[in-house]
Amino acid sequence: GNSFYNQTEGTVLSMFDSSVPDGGNGIFPWTLYDSGTDYLATRSATGWNPDRLVFVSRVGGSNTFSSEGNVNGYVTMPINKVKGAFAFATNNFGVTWNGGAGFTSSSGAVPITSTLYIGSQNGSASIINGPISRLTVWPTRLNNDTLQTITV
């Protein structure tokens, strides 16, 4: 692990442009990463029609939280000017896209990670296909109303 952020809870706000389809390769605008088996991330979920951008918490090679299956937990690609907020704490996850209703879950683990990658999964894979205009990390899990407000 690393101490550059609170590893037990937090919120990440990301603003980026994903106007170019990912072509099935996947994109990761940001990742709090330790290995391919442990990370928190915004990532594309390919294989859907159309592809989706989702939030994921992955521990030991398994997703302990994913917003992929909930209509309020993802946005379809391609999209311009994405504003997404991902709040996390053990058994207390919340996500909101572009000021929408959002999605919460009272189940899921938070991984211990060591590196923040901006624009890719691990520094060389799944590189974002557009500009990132903002990335903010808070050391606390912001409440759901705040998530919605900061993504309008």
Side-chain angles (χ1 to χ4, degrees), residues 17-23 27 77-80 129-130:
D17 186 341
S18 179
S19 60
V20 179
D22 71 7
I27 62 165
M77 294 176 57
I79 187 170
N80 293 311
N129 51 13

Side-chain angles (χ1 to χ4, degrees), residues 51-129:
D51 290 343
R52 299 174 176 180
L53 285 165
V54 300
F55 292 112
V56 174
S57 179
R58 189 169 183 84
V59 178
S62 297
N63 291 348
T64 64
F65 169 81
S66 175
S67 64
E68 191 168 304
N70 185 286
V71 70
N72 292 320
Y74 65 84
V75 292
T76 57
M77 294 176 57
I79 187 170
N80 293 311
K81 298 185 173 135
V82 176
K83 292 181 183 178
F86 182 19
F88 57 90
T90 300
N91 298 324
N92 185 4
F93 289 84
V95 304
T96 302
W97 294 101
N98 297 332
F103 169 66
T104 61
S105 176
S106 59
S107 176
V110 176
I112 301 299
T113 62
S114 59
T115 306
L116 170 63
Y117 288 104
I118 300 171
S120 73
Q121 178 183 8
N122 59 12
S124 63
S126 302
I127 296 170
I128 191 168
N129 51 13

